[in-house]
Amino acid sequence: MKQQQFLCLLPVMGQLFSNTPNEEHQDLVSSFKQFKDSNVKSKLISQEATSAIELHLTKGDIQGANAVITAALKEISDIPLNIAVTGESGSGKSSLVNTLRGVKHESKDAAPIGVCETTIERASYTHPNLPNVTIWDLPGIGTTNFPPKDYLKRVQFVEYDFFIIVSATRFKQNDIDLAEVIRMMGKNFYFVRTKVDSDLRNEKECKPSTFNENKVLQMIRKNCLDNFKKNGMIEPQIFLVSNNNLSKFDFPKLMDTLIKDVPAQKRHIFTLSLPNITEAAIERKRESLKKYIWLEAFKGGLQATLPALGMISVKDMKKLKASLNHFQLLFGVDDLSLKLLAKDLQVPVEQLKAIIKSPHLLEMENEETLMETFWGYVEKFFSVNGGLVATGLYFQKIFYLQLHFLDTVTEDAKVLLKQLYSRENSNLPCPTAADCNKI
Ligand code: GDP
Ligand code: MG
């Protein structure tokens, strides 16, 4: 470390060493209280877990607190999430499966789509960045000719967290019966009406002088709802979407609703799985990850006996690199995604790299220069967040660097999102979920 940087950190170190064990203990409890309060809304971990951690901390049982945090972090990272997509053949199920995974229809692990593709058996598609998240492409109930109960048994209904029922026209009696049985079995379902883009296009072509987009959308919605009424079902919420243009219409609302409804312990992983189609979606991911790395660092801080200000270990360095790669993948700012996005935008990849920052974060020639960069960040954060450090929380410094990486990657994702949507003004086609995940 440069002498100058070391001198900058001395006051902070002085404060840290001057804290008495009792003060440190109080600081731990009050810092965790802040997290607990914010967790009421974000629900990163369960309330039982936050209460247990607080109790352990109040009693000074660091080991106990540590064990609960470890288990809670493991639970929210390892928990499986299974989403079932069902509907008639040709309704856009497989397209929606690809959309939810942020995968291009033509990529080799995509669900095959097209008018001739009929799903006869259920097919599973793992999320490319989150191995615990699986989207299931189910055969339409009409294709199987089974009554709803038998159909659900056949497709192993217990395995799914919720169902998305897709139609490109009106929802049929079959869909409505299926939804009733899903409800009886205590699971959630969501009606998604696809292909609204082509309905709008057709209407515009047929009635160019009287065409009104909002009116057509209202008509589609009413048409679907009337059918539910006619079949004696309480009108459900219907999401009008286009798999070809996700940020438009109700797809963002569908994401919000699903996030709200999904069980608390699955919310983190589900949030991370969703495509980066709007700034709000990017922000939501950032917030969830920020809380996660805070808790991880808090746990690390509990284990440390003294603030390890002197060195960034090889292990820390590995973790930092892994974090950066993980963030880049989740926000579609990794090398491969940038290449694919550049191809879609028909620009050289260097042009995209020139307007974002994260690809250059670790572009250093050797370990020594990398360390210098890290220390630059540490110094910056310690001077800004000195108060936080002086609370006696021995957060490893990598927390600050992880946060810096996360902020950089999310800012990059937003810059690229703007680039992507600016092409709406050009003649290029609308961005797909795969495009957005490639930012
Ligand atoms: P599945 O049989 O239900 O799996 O339907 P697919 O996902 O294979 O889609 C059938 C056809 O509809 C394909 O040609 C898709 O490109 C097209 N399609 C799917 N969703 C949409 C959409 O929202 N808008 C438009 N215009 N076409 C779509
Ligand atoms: Mg299909």
Side-chain angles (χ1 to χ4, degrees):
M1 180 175 24
K2 281 186 201 152
Q3 193 188 13
Q4 192 192 2
Q5 285 169 333
F6 183 75
L7 289 175
C8 282
L9 293 174
L10 275 179
V12 179
M13 292 166 83
Q15 270 175 293
L16 282 164
F17 290 119
S18 68
N19 271 356
T20 64
N22 198 30
E23 278 167 343
E24 282 162 21
H25 177 237
Q26 285 307 317
D27 287 341
L28 280 178
V29 176
S30 63
S31 273
F32 188 75
K33 259 202 167 79
Q34 280 177 22
F35 173 84
K36 192 184 169 204
D37 290 347
S38 71
N39 190 67
V40 172
K41 194 165 162 244
S42 66
K43 297 196 178 70
L44 178 73
I45 58 171
S46 70
Q47 280 199 16
E48 295 82 62
T50 51
S51 302
I53 296 162
E54 194 180 20
L55 191 67
H56 284 305
L57 289 175
T58 317
K59 286 197 217 150
D61 178 4
I62 299 294
Q63 293 257 343
N66 196 5
V68 182
I69 298 175
T70 306
L73 286 173
K74 192 167 161 38
E75 187 189 15
I76 59 170
S77 313
D78 292 355
I79 201 155
L81 180 76
N82 288 282
I83 304 167
V85 181
T86 182
E88 278 193 357
S89 184
S91 59
K93 283 188 305 288
S94 305
S95 304
L96 189 65
V97 167
N98 294 336
T99 292
L100 290 169
R101 296 169 67 226
V103 163
K104 252 188 173 327
H105 301 316
E106 287 160 311
S107 79
K108 67 176 189 311
D109 65 336
I113 66 154
V115 275
C116 303
E117 290 289 347
T118 308
T119 315
I120 298 161
E121 293 294 332
R122 67 173 189 158
S124 70
Y125 296 93
T126 307
H127 192 284
N129 303 326
L130 300 156
N132 307 336
V133 178
T134 310
I135 328 277
W136 295 84
D137 195 346
L138 303 188
I141 183 166
T143 322
T144 62
N145 278 328
F146 285 115
K149 263 195 187 144
D150 294 346
Y151 169 81
L152 287 171
K153 217 180 275 167
R154 209 180 129 89
V155 297
Q156 319 276 349
F157 92 98
V158 274
E159 290 177 14
Y160 311 116
D161 289 285
F162 57 84
F163 291 77
I164 297 180
I165 305 175
V166 179
S167 172
T169 54
R170 279 193 286 172
F171 291 91
K172 308 272 159 45
Q173 184 66 47
N174 263 340
D175 300 315
I176 297 170
D177 293 345
L178 180 65
E180 292 286 12
V181 181
I182 295 172
R183 197 204 308 271
M184 268 163 41
M185 291 174 166
K187 304 235 173 187
N188 283 342
F189 56 84
Y190 303 87
F191 285 110
V192 169
R193 163 62 158 84
T194 52
K195 303 195 187 180
V196 291
D197 55 327
S198 57
D199 290 312
L200 287 168
R201 209 171 30 246
N202 292 343
E203 280 286 317
K204 199 173 181 179
E205 269 172 28
C206 295
K207 307 165 193 164
S209 57
T210 56
F211 173 77
N212 177 318
E213 180 169 308
N214 275 339
K215 278 206 176 124
V216 178
L217 291 173
Q218 274 173 23
M219 219 170 59
I220 298 174
R221 200 182 296 279
K222 184 172 180 311
N223 194 260
C224 286
L225 289 174
D226 284 349
N227 210 35
F228 282 102
K229 246 195 267 170
K230 220 166 55 201
N231 287 291
M233 188 177 184
I234 303 163
E235 293 175 24
Q237 190 171 11
I238 294 173
F239 299 92
L240 308 187
V241 310
S242 159
N243 282 317
N244 299 341
N245 192 351
L246 291 174
S247 63
K248 228 181 156 190
F249 314 115
D250 291 342
F251 191 81
K253 203 157 53 164
L254 174 67
M255 290 203 299
D256 292 347
T257 310
L258 295 175
I259 287 176
K260 189 164 62 55
D261 290 357
V262 88
Q265 71 275 25
K266 303 202 176 195
R267 191 161 299 149
H268 176 67
I269 197 155
F270 182 56
T271 304
L272 298 190
S273 79
L274 289 170
N276 305 303
I277 54 157
T278 57
E279 283 212 1
I282 294 172
E283 262 314 297
R284 204 166 30 213
K285 252 187 214 188
R286 188 178 83 90
E287 275 308 307
S288 207
L289 280 166
K290 194 173 152 187
K291 296 232 156 53
Y292 187 95
I293 59 174
W294 186 93
L295 197 57
E296 215 178 30
F298 185 80
K299 189 187 92 157
L302 290 180
Q303 288 163 326
T305 43
L306 279 176
L309 285 173
M311 286 291 290
I312 287 181
S313 64
V314 176
K315 201 170 138 216
D316 282 347
M317 194 91 96
K318 269 197 185 147
K319 189 170 166 65
L320 276 169
K321 281 185 186 168
S323 298
L324 180 61
N325 290 343
H326 183 55
F327 299 152
Q328 286 175 320
L329 274 175
L330 287 175
F331 290 92
V333 194
D334 56 297
D335 258 359
L336 179 64
S337 300
L338 287 173
K339 271 189 204 138
L340 293 170
L341 180 65
K343 201 170 153 213
D344 284 347
L345 289 171
Q346 297 167 14
V347 295
V349 70
E350 289 70 32
Q351 193 174 317
L352 292 183
K353 286 191 178 175
I355 55 167
I356 57 174
K357 296 191 177 127
S358 62
H360 321 292
L361 271 176
L362 291 176
E363 262 177 23
M364 303 286 167
E365 306 94 55
N366 58 48
E367 202 96 318
E368 211 175 296
T369 44
L370 203 56
M371 284 289 273
E372 286 295 318
T373 314
F374 283 157
W375 276 113
Y377 293 140
V378 173
E379 186 189 340
K380 184 173 130 207
F381 276 109
F382 273 36
S383 60
V384 176
N385 300 315
L388 189 70
V389 179
T391 59
L393 282 178
Y394 300 150
F395 279 168
Q396 284 101 348
K397 50 209 157 297
I398 61 165
F399 165 66
Y400 300 97
L401 297 181
Q402 280 180 309
L403 209 56
H404 176 68
F405 288 180
L406 177 61
D407 286 344
T408 310
V409 172
T410 47
E411 282 316 306
D412 285 352
K414 288 180 195 171
V415 167
L416 294 175
L417 188 68
K418 280 204 187 95
Q419 287 282 310
L420 198 56
Y421 283 110
S422 69
R423 78 173 176 177
E424 274 188 358
N425 301 326
S426 70
N427 290 329
L428 290 162
C430 296
T432 62
D435 291 334
C436 292
N437 254 24
K438 231 164 276 122
I439 33 177

